[in-house]
Amino acid sequence: MKKTVKKIQKYKPENKKIAALTAYDFYTAKYLDMAGIDLILVGDSAANVVLGYDSTTRITVDEMLIFTSAVARGTKEALVVADMPFMSYNVSVEQGLLNAAKFIARGADAVKIEGGSEYTFELVKRLTQSGIPVLAHLGFTPQYINTIGGNYIQGKDFDTTIQILNAAKNLEKAGAFAIVLELMPKEASKFISEKLNMPTIGIGAGSGCDGQILVINDLIGKFDEFSPKFARKYFDSKAMIIDCAKKYITDVQNGNFPNDEESFKLDDEELKNLENYK
């Protein structure tokens, strides 16, 4: 049965943890869905782990729409959330509404936006009033990396934790159905989680959140440019891919691929005709 925003919100009072992962293509989404994942985020992390950009700020709306369409087609039960890329919602509320609508039209169930400014509160309110659910995102916000100055942990003291909490409360009031908390001390994220009615989904924010999310390429060991402390690797895809490719190269060079069973054959009569041709 399809997981909706309302179902995801019920996890918190039921003390059930939300399990979320990113995906960027049809088959990964299909397999995560088969595994029973609750939420699939079509993350702007595709900029790094799929397209090879050096920053998430490089990816465009058009590129994200392609990934969103593929993931939506591969998903039957999980809630699909599309990441709104850098500057796709910052110019005006109207711009944000129009771009968010594109993602919903491509099959997303909700969109994710970063930040906790007065403008963001207004945008979240307008989006939810227009029928577009919003997953908020506070703590470390990658789209603001140039102003933050790097991948720095957020909420490291009382004052900044309270600032994040107040922003989260305003996002909740504006209509966000849940919030991602990224790169925060576990005590700070737990404190914030306990003060909110909406569920929190942590990434590098400890176990006190109401759920967790990881980038699928980190989970399966497919991305080797950077390995965050919080990203647990369950499989080494890189080693597997290299090993398979090496075996394939050897088999091709030795004439062991393709073998007889992997080849198509002519009928005996047609083969005889070829053999008798002069």
Side-chain angles (χ1 to χ4, degrees), residues 71-96:
V71 168
R73 286 192 294 271
T75 306
K76 293 182 179 180
E77 296 187 5
L79 187 79
V80 176
V81 181
D83 230 341
M84 296 278 284
F86 180 63
M87 292 304 295
S88 65
Y89 55 90
N90 308 81
V91 175
S92 67
V93 170
E94 287 69 27
Q95 177 213 29

Side-chain angles (χ1 to χ4, degrees), residues 143-188:
Q143 291 180 14
Y144 293 82
I145 190 168
N146 291 325
T147 52
I148 294 173
N151 297 321
Y152 296 126
I153 297 172
Q154 305 296 306
K156 293 175 68 175
D157 55 41
F158 174 83
D159 289 339
T160 55
T161 298
I162 296 302
Q163 288 173 10
I164 295 171
L165 171 62
N166 289 335
K169 285 183 174 179
N170 283 324
L171 288 165
E172 180 177 68
K173 184 178 179 181
F177 73 89
I179 187 167
V180 171
L181 298 178
E182 183 168 358
L183 274 186
M184 294 184 63
K186 64 179 185 179
E187 297 87 355

Side-chain angles (χ1 to χ4, degrees), residues 107-244:
D109 302 306
V111 297
K112 182 173 79 66
I113 62 175
E114 297 181 10
S117 66
E118 290 294 333
Y119 169 75
T120 310
F121 306 150
E122 177 60 26
L123 176 59
V124 171
K125 181 179 179 180
R126 288 284 299 279
L127 285 168
T128 54
Q129 286 176 341
S130 300
I132 301 177
V134 177
L135 175 62
H137 186 156
L138 289 176
F140 173 68
T141 46
Q143 291 180 14
Y144 293 82
I145 190 168
N146 291 325
T147 52
I148 294 173
N151 297 321
Y152 296 126
I153 297 172
Q154 305 296 306
K156 293 175 68 175
D157 55 41
F158 174 83
D159 289 339
T160 55
T161 298
I162 296 302
Q163 288 173 10
I164 295 171
L165 171 62
N166 289 335
K169 285 183 174 179
N170 283 324
L171 288 165
E172 180 177 68
K173 184 178 179 181
F177 73 89
I179 187 167
V180 171
L181 298 178
E182 183 168 358
L183 274 186
M184 294 184 63
K186 64 179 185 179
E187 297 87 355
S189 62
K190 183 176 186 294
F191 174 82
I192 291 170
S193 298
E194 291 172 347
K195 302 295 182 183
L196 298 173
N197 292 316
M198 65 176 172
T200 60
I201 301 174
I203 178 166
S207 60
C209 294
D210 302 303
Q212 299 293 327
I213 186 167
L214 283 178
V215 172
I216 184 65
N217 297 61
D218 290 331
L219 187 87
I220 64 173
K222 194 177 179 182
F223 183 68
D224 69 347
E225 297 299 317
F226 172 68
S227 180
K229 173 183 179 178
F230 55 81
R232 183 180 296 180
K233 185 166 72 172
Y234 287 80
F235 188 69
D236 194 345
S237 292
K238 175 187 174 182
M240 181 199 69
I241 292 169
I242 292 172
D243 182 60
C244 288

Side-chain angles (χ1 to χ4, degrees), residues 25-44:
D25 64 89
F26 175 87
Y27 281 105
T28 300
K30 180 179 179 179
Y31 300 152
L32 294 182
D33 199 55
M34 291 172 65
I37 203 74
D38 296 312
L39 184 153
I40 296 177
L41 173 66
V42 189
D44 60 4

